Amino acid sequence: MSAHIQPVPFTKPEPPISPEKEIVESPFRDFVRAFLRHRSAVIGSVIVLSFLLIAILAPFITSYEYTARSQALLQAPSVDHWFGTDEMGRDLFTRVIYGTRISLWVGLFAISGSIIVGSLLGLIAGFYGGWRDTMISRIFDILLAFPSILLAIAIVAMLGRSLSNALLAIAIINIPTFGRLMRSRVLSVKSEDYILAARAMGMKNRRILFHHILPNCWTPIMVQGTLGFATAVIEAAALGFLGLGAQPPEPEWGTMLADARQYIQLAPWTMIFPGVAVALTVLGFNLLGDGLRDIFDPRMKQ
Amino acid sequence: MISYIIRRLIMLIPVLIGMSIITFSVVHAIPGDPARTIVGDKATPAQIQEIRENLGLDKPAYIQYFTYVKDILQGDLGTSLITKQEISKEIKPFLAATTELAVVAMLIAVFFGVNLGILSAWKQNSWFDYTAMLIALIGVSMPIFWLGLMEQWFFAQELDLLPSNGRLDPRMEFDAITNFYSIDAIIQGNWYAFQDVLLHLILPAVALGTIPMAIIARMTRSSMLEVMRSDYIRTARAKGLGEFWVIYKHTLKNAFIPVLTVVGLQLGLLLGGAVLTETIFSWPGVGRYIFDAINARNYPVIQSGILILATIFVLINLIVDLLYAWVDPRIQYGKGE
C-alpha cells in the first residue's frame, strides 16, 4: 500500500520482552496510585469535583431563578424549597447552588493571578538575586506585613466595593505566598548539577529558567495553589460578608450570610446552608491540598 | 544576637515605609476624585471642597504623603469624619477591647491546641488522634464569621446560655479604667461584673480562637511526633520514666519551639480575624471600629485602624522572630531567610 521506502532501522534492537507484559513504571502512574491510596486526597477531590459539577450544571439542578422573588418569605426547608427561602422569598437552594459558581470563579481567577504574578516575581528574585531579589523580597515583606484580610479590606475600600475588586484584592494578598515559595524552590534547584551542566553547555538564562528550573518548581506551587484556593474561597466570603465583595442580589455565600444575620431567630436555615457550602468547599480543597502535599513530599514517600 | 536584632530592625524600615504607602493610598489614591468618593454622591460642591481641604487632597501627591507620614510620627492619626474626634484618642478603648479578646482567644487556642496535639501524637493513629485531627481540619476550613453566627444562634438564641453581643450587660453600672474590662472588674472588686465580662468573652473568643487552635494542634502533633522518634526520648523511656513525664516534660520541651512560632504568627493573624468576629458579636474593638467606618465611608478611620492593626502585627512578628532566635540558638542569625 505504501510506496515509501522504509528507512534502514539503525535503532536499538527490539527488547526481548514485549512492553505490554512489563509493569510500566511512569511518574504519572506512580502519582495516580499514590493518590488513590491517599484517603484524604480522594475525599477532597470527590468534594471538589462535586462542587465543580454543581457549578457547571447549576441550571439543570434547580428550576428556580436565583433572583426570582416569591410570596413565600422565610419559609422553612420543604419539598418545594429544599433549603427554605430567604427574606425576599427566593429559593435558598438555588442561590447556594449558583453561589458555587461565584466562589469557584473567584478562587480560580484570584489564585491563578497570584500564582502567575507570584511565581514570576519569585523566579526572578531567586534566579537573578542581587538588587532584584532585594526589591522583590521587600515587596513580599510589605504585603505580608498586613493581616491578609485587612490588606484586602484596604484595597477594596480604595477601589470600591465590587466582586471584581474583591477578586483583585484576594489575588494581591496571596502573591507573596507563592512568590516566596517559588523563590526558595528556585534557590535550591539553581544549585543542582543539571542546572550547572546546562550552564556549562552554554544555555541562555531564559532557556534555563523556563525549560529547566520552572518545571522543577511546579509541584509545591501546585500544592500551595490547592490550599490557596481554599483560603481564597474563605476570603471572598469574608469580604462579601463585610459588604465589600459581591453586591446583592448576587448569590454570593458571604453576602447571603450577611443578609441572613438579621433573621437568625426567625430563619436559621438562611444562615446554615450558605455557611455549610463555604465550609465544605474549603474542606474539600484543604483535604486535596494536604493529600497532594503528602504525595509529592519526598520525605513522606515510602 | 545584638547584631541580629539591629539587622532585623533595619529590615523593618522598608516594610514600615511600604505599609505607610499602602495605608496612605486608602484615602489619597482612590481612583477618580477621592473627595467625591468620600462624601458620597449627594454632597454639594462646597462639602466636597471642604473635605478636599481637610484631608489636603488639593496638594500634590508627594506633599500629601510627607504630611501624612509627619502626622503619624507625631502621633496624629487624623480626625474621624463622623464624630470629629481625634482618632488617636478615640481608638484607645477599641484597642483595649480587641487586645482583651485576642489574648483570651489565644489562651483558649493554646490550651486546647497544645493538649489536643500532644494527646494525638501520644495516641498516634488511634480513634482519638483521628477525631482530633478531623476536628482540627474542620476548624481550619470553617469561616470564622460563620462559626460565630452559628454560636450565636445555638448558644445564645436556642439554648439561651451565653450573651451574644457586647462586652458587658448594658444595664450594669461599670466604670472603665484601663478599658480591659476583666482587669477593671478585678480592680473594683466587682465580682458580679467580672463574671459577666467573662461570660461575654466566651463566644467571641472561641470563634476567634478556633482557627489558631486547629493550627496549633496540628503543629504540636507533628512536632511531637518528630521529637518522639529521637534517641533521647528512647533513653528517657529506657531509664524507666513514666509515659506522662516522657511526653509532657522531655518531648514537649523540645517540640515547643516550632509551636511557639506558630503561636506568635497566629496571634498576629487574630487581629485580622478580629474584624469579622467583632462585627458579629458587636464587640467594640478596632475591628468593629473599622467595619463601622467602612459602612459610613469614614475613610480616615479605615486608614488609621488598618495602620494600627498592621503595626501591631509587624511588632508581634518581630518579637516572635527575636524570641525564636533566642530560644533556639541553632538558628543562623539573619543569613538569608
Side-chain angles (χ1 to χ4, degrees), chain A residues 145 157 161 265 271 287 290, chain B residues 137 146 157 218 294 299 313:
Chain A
R161 318 156 170 225
Q265 278 167 295
M271 202 183 64
L287 282 170
D290 281 354
Chain B
L137 189 68
W146 184 58
Q157 305 284 354
R218 293 171 105 183
I294 292 171
Y299 277 81
F313 183 55

Side-chain angles (χ1 to χ4, degrees), chain B residues 149-222:
Chain B
L149 288 171
M150 297 301 285
E151 277 181 11
Q152 267 189 337
W153 169 60
F154 193 70
F155 292 103
Q157 305 284 354
E158 295 293 308
L159 300 182
D160 201 16
L161 266 180
L162 292 162
S164 67
N165 280 308
R167 300 177 75 181
L168 195 65
D169 191 330
R171 286 161 300 184
M172 193 173 294
E173 279 187 34
F174 188 74
D175 299 317
I177 307 167
T178 60
N179 280 310
F180 291 93
Y181 279 16
S182 51
I183 298 174
D184 287 346
I186 296 177
I187 294 174
Q188 294 168 18
N190 189 345
W191 298 112
Y192 186 64
F194 183 68
Q195 192 191 353
D196 197 48
V197 168
L198 288 190
L199 287 177
H200 274 83
L201 267 166
I202 294 176
L203 290 184
V206 168
L208 190 54
T210 300
I211 293 177
M213 184 205 77
I215 293 175
I216 291 170
R218 293 171 105 183
M219 191 70 211
T220 310
R221 177 178 180 272
S222 67

Side-chain angles (χ1 to χ4, degrees), chain B residues 263-279:
Chain B
V263 170
L265 292 177
Q266 291 301 318
L267 186 60
L269 288 176
L270 282 188
L271 298 172
V275 180
L276 295 158
T277 319
E278 291 175 1
T279 303

Side-chain angles (χ1 to χ4, degrees), chain B residues 219-238:
Chain B
M219 191 70 211
T220 310
R221 177 178 180 272
S222 67
S223 180
M224 288 290 286
L225 283 177
E226 207 165 292
V227 175
M228 272 157 72
R229 293 197 192 107
S230 59
D231 287 341
Y232 58 85
I233 296 302
R234 202 173 44 194
T235 313
R237 285 218 175 91

Side-chain angles (χ1 to χ4, degrees), chain A residues 36-102:
Chain A
L36 291 178
R37 226 182 288 147
H38 200 289
R39 200 184 308 157
S40 72
V42 172
I43 299 175
S45 54
V46 167
I47 297 178
V48 168
L49 284 178
S50 320
F51 273 101
L52 204 64
L53 276 179
I54 289 174
I56 295 169
L57 301 177
F60 303 102
I61 297 175
T62 165
S63 50
Y64 293 95
E65 291 284 324
Y66 62 80
T67 48
R69 301 181 183 193
S70 71
Q71 296 301 312
L73 310 181
L74 297 174
Q75 297 282 304
S78 63
V79 185
D80 286 340
H81 302 285
W82 290 0
F83 289 178
T85 60
D86 68 5
E87 74 281 4
M88 294 187 185
R90 294 173 296 197
D91 181 55
L92 207 61
F93 177 70
T94 307
R95 291 179 64 74
V96 170
I97 295 285
Y98 276 95
T100 313
R101 286 187 167 181
I102 298 185

